[in-house]
Amino acid sequence: MADYDIYGDSGSGNCLKVLWLARHLGIEHRWIETSVLNRGTRTEAFRALNPSAQVPVLVHERRALAQSNAILLHLAEIHDSPLLPCEPFARAKVYEWLFWEQYSHEPCIAVRRFQKVYLKRRDDEIEPKLMERGVAALERMELELARSAFLAGPRATLADLALVAYTRVAPEGGFELESFPAIRRWIGSVEREFKIA
Ligand SMILES: N[C@@H](CCC(=O)N[C@@H](CS)C(=O)NCC(=O)O)C(=O)O
């Protein structure tokens, strides 16, 4: 019997980041595929776990935790992982990137990809600001990664795991990575570090 249940949609970066961390930390887990498009997040049983009706959700000893980055922080903390540094400022830099990911990156890069890939919208049916803001997010990452091996310093942290999830598939959302060499180098490093195929 696995210790943890992870409810997730395997097309979702928010869900995959949790799966990758569970594997990286060697946490025994059961993946419960919960399709967003098939309204698996809308059932009464699922809403009882997360009234916000969103994946991912982590369930352990009958307690449910939502929000991908909260789950990452929780798993890293209870496993004493160096992916969440102990030194307060270094730890705060990881928080900085996790909050930034949810406010300035995921809402444009993941949302544009969702509209193109899953809702099959044409470019002219997609809100133009998503492209503009997504490119600004990539520029911000490029600036950091041109001077640092990883986002929050010289070693990989939760910040990299959280940000790589949608950055590596950004081209599916129409975001070219050609002009972001540091991001492309970093994607390769993070994929190797976390054995992401
Ligand atoms: N901030 C949340 C976002 C979760 C989220 O947007 N989940 C999507 C899949 S990526 C979902 O479940 N959507 C279903 C819905 O909103 O109906 C997190 O990081 O976990």
Side-chain angles (χ1 to χ4, degrees), residues 4 17-29 71-84 158 161 193-194:
Y4 291 87
K17 54 171 106 141
V18 172
L19 179 66
W20 296 330
L21 182 64
R23 287 182 180 153
H24 181 83
L25 297 176
I27 295 171
E28 255 194 70
H29 61 276
I71 298 171
L72 297 188
L73 286 165
H74 177 61
L75 291 178
E77 184 160 27
I78 60 177
H79 284 78
D80 228 353
S81 168
L83 294 173
L84 183 58
L158 293 183
L161 189 60
E193 180 83 21
F194 293 98

